[in-house]
Amino acid sequence: DRAFIRFLSALAERIDEVVIFGRLDPLPGRAPYGLPEYLRFVALPHYARVTSVRSMLRSLRGARRAFAAELAGLDAVWIFGPHPVALELVRVAHARRVPVVLGIRQNFPEYIARRLPGRAWAWAIPAAHLLDYAFRRLARRVPTVVVGNALANRYGRAGARGLHVTGIS
């Protein structure tokens, strides 16, 4: 069992503090894994899903504010993407001179192409390619952790600096 939250929980044994930023769903529910008490959670504004484009864009200001408020106490941030909010958080961290590490878990354009809710969303594929391109360009300047050899090849060809490959997902 290699659930990502279990990986993050194990990190807390090796470093002083792990702070997780994420959307907090306002509706109570169940998850397969709870967040251990020793991981600190900072809530970002909620939007239902990435296809809720207007809600996601409206959430940016609050996400930026919540993220920036925590940066002074952090040694570095590990930001996963490609994702529009992630790009903004990278920008904020760089402006505050907090080191950034990128995390890439999947081939984003392929992921989006398989999950389109309908033909009206065809525009999302070129948008996914743009976000993917932005992250590959960014990986030239910041350390990057990718999941698997296929992504390592993709980011390596793009000139990624400090590329690390892992098997977590």
Side-chain angles (χ1 to χ4, degrees), residues 33-47:
Y33 299 94
L35 198 62
E37 291 178 16
Y38 51 84
L39 297 180
R40 189 159 63 89
F41 182 78
V42 175
L44 300 179
H46 182 264
Y47 55 91

Side-chain angles (χ1 to χ4, degrees), residues 45-67:
H46 182 264
Y47 55 91
R49 58 190 62 82
V50 76
T51 56
S52 305
V53 176
R54 285 189 181 114
S55 296
M56 180 188 58
L57 292 174
R58 280 193 305 268
S59 79
L60 274 177
R61 179 180 286 160
R64 205 174 20 245
R65 191 174 333 136
F67 184 69

